[in-house]
Amino acid sequence: MSVMKEMAEEARKKTKKKDDDNNSNIDQETRLINAFPTAIGMHSFTGTAHHVKEILKFEKVWFPNQKLFYFGFSHAVNVAMCSSEKSRRQGLEAIRAVPSDRLMAESDVHATEDVPAGTAGAIAYIASALDKPLIEVAEMTASNGVAFLNTSI
């Protein structure tokens, strides 16, 4: 994915300049890896299965022992706003491309009172894509959300 390559290249340039300026003994690759957060949530992900695979390929190269990327899906964005048949099909394919331990359900609503319904809609959407029971997907995405939040602790 070109965005990831551009991010890595830009980080390399910045760390190279810092190394040159500071005569640092820390190697460039270590500085690049340390520049990333401990986890990145792809909020209401609207990319394709191809994008998922490219992001995970980037992760595997640079962070082989870490779960860096988590992918959130919501009914509000991934269903209601992606109204064409093509975008809905691509959304379902993207969900299927995400490892099950990286899927998260998002309410993606503004009003607190809408959170339960928004979250239930996201869980139903993911469950439908995976052809899994709602309770299984609810438990899985809740566990993944906790894992994501615990990465910074």
Side-chain angles (χ1 to χ4, degrees):
M1 176 171 233
S2 64
V3 172
M4 294 297 189
K5 289 176 187 172
E6 289 173 23
M7 284 175 58
E9 187 56 36
E10 187 62 31
R12 277 191 198 100
K13 287 177 188 175
K14 286 180 181 177
T15 57
K16 172 88 172 101
K17 181 172 178 5
K18 284 182 183 177
D19 286 345
D20 291 347
D21 292 348
N22 299 329
N23 294 321
S24 175
N25 291 328
I26 299 173
D27 68 85
Q28 184 177 346
E29 187 171 304
T30 300
R31 290 180 67 105
L32 175 63
I33 290 169
N34 290 340
F36 277 81
T38 55
I40 298 171
M42 305 300 283
H43 174 59
S44 289
F45 186 73
T46 56
T48 65
H50 172 77
H51 295 135
V52 171
K53 291 173 187 171
E54 289 296 305
I55 290 167
L56 294 174
K57 189 186 310 181
F58 172 86
E59 175 188 270
K60 185 175 182 179
V61 169
W62 288 99
F63 303 90
N65 301 314
Q66 181 181 346
K67 294 178 185 177
L68 181 64
F69 291 97
Y70 288 76
F71 298 80
F73 296 89
S74 72
H75 187 274
V77 171
N78 300 106
V79 177
M81 293 177 74
C82 295
S83 58
S84 77
E85 199 56 42
K86 179 181 177 182
S87 65
R88 288 200 177 171
R89 178 182 42 77
Q90 288 177 331
L92 297 172
E93 291 168 356
I95 289 171
R96 293 180 194 120
V98 175
S100 62
D101 62 345
R102 311 293 191 85
L103 284 167
M104 294 192 295
E106 301 179 20
S107 65
D108 209 358
V109 295
H110 299 285
T112 305
E113 62 270 10
D114 294 335
V115 170
T119 305
I123 291 167
Y125 174 59
I126 295 168
S128 173
L130 300 176
D131 196 28
K132 292 190 177 214
L134 287 172
I135 190 68
E136 183 179 331
V137 172
E139 290 170 350
M140 174 186 68
T141 55
S143 176
N144 294 346
V146 169
F148 171 74
L149 293 173
N150 283 336
T151 58
S152 62
I153 295 174

